[in-house]
Amino acid sequence: NTLMVFRERVLQSILLGMIAVATVAYFGAMSVVFQRQIWAAVIIYTLCYVTLITLTFWRNLNYYLRAILFLIVLSVVAFTALSQFGMSGIGRLLLIPVPILGALTLGLTGGILTTLYASLGHFIIGVLMVNGSIPAPSIQIQANAARISDWNTSSLLFLLVTAMMIVGLNQLSS
């Protein structure tokens, strides 16, 4: 039962740490998707943000359901970004912590399953984009090193991803 307490503490610490960074990232992303009129992304990001807040503060919810929903939310945000911006976006960066957090919160089997899930989703989006089922992003919406907004978004998301992993891994030493 000590392992379960540890995993609950890891999950709760990550969720609490994410709220602040995710709030800033959410409003940053909203400015971009509103400007580009990507309404599906507005709905997806908003549902994910609300789910994240719910998972953080509804601690009576079954642990495994909380952990799985958290990993799904993170994956959905990553897959949405990958579908919008292709290889130049932050979707791949957001997929990196999914298997790590899957292993931390659900054990080795969870880590293996989330690795397969993230890899398969990444592959499917790539195939759909190459085949034209998902439109490839235009040059205008791909990440641009000359736009400060792209640097800000990238920096915030890098902070979010590294913070998630540091908080989770820090629990190993405490």
Side-chain angles (χ1 to χ4, degrees):
N1 223 358
T2 306
L3 181 59
M4 191 61 169
V5 171
F6 165 75
R7 287 182 176 164
E8 169 63 35
R9 194 172 73 200
V10 167
L11 179 62
Q12 190 61 28
S13 296
I14 291 169
L15 288 169
L16 285 169
M18 280 187 61
I19 289 294
V21 179
T23 299
V24 174
Y26 171 76
F27 287 107
M30 284 299 103
S31 69
V32 172
V33 293
F34 267 112
Q35 177 186 9
R36 296 180 181 157
Q37 298 180 353
I38 307 170
W39 307 120
V42 170
I43 293 167
I44 292 168
Y45 290 148
T46 300
L47 288 173
C48 287
Y49 182 65
V50 169
T51 303
L52 178 65
I53 291 170
T54 303
L55 293 173
T56 302
F57 296 109
W58 190 9
R59 293 189 65 177
N60 291 336
L61 190 61
N62 177 280
Y63 168 77
Y64 289 105
L65 183 59
R66 284 178 72 212
I68 291 168
L69 286 174
F70 165 65
L71 294 168
I72 289 172
V73 164
L74 186 57
S75 310
V76 166
V77 171
F79 292 147
T80 301
L82 196 56
S83 297
Q84 289 178 296
F85 304 108
M87 299 294 283
S88 76
I90 48 83
R92 294 176 301 157
L93 176 66
L94 288 174
L95 279 177
I96 291 170
V98 171
I100 296 165
L101 296 173
L104 277 172
T105 58
L106 300 172
L108 180 60
T109 302
I112 292 169
L113 290 175
T114 52
T115 299
L116 295 173
Y117 167 69
S119 299
L120 183 62
H122 186 274
F123 176 76
I124 289 171
I125 290 170
V127 168
L128 292 173
M129 198 169 280
V130 167
N131 289 337
S133 299
I134 297 175
S138 67
I139 294 296
Q140 291 81 14
I141 70 165
Q142 290 185 24
N144 184 340
R147 284 194 303 243
I148 192 66
S149 63
D150 288 351
W151 282 103
N152 289 342
T153 302
S154 176
S155 297
L156 283 171
L157 289 168
F158 179 76
L159 176 63
L160 174 67
V161 168
T162 55
M164 281 189 298
M165 291 191 293
I166 288 169
V167 168
L169 293 173
N170 184 54
Q171 294 296 319
L172 293 174
S173 63
S174 57

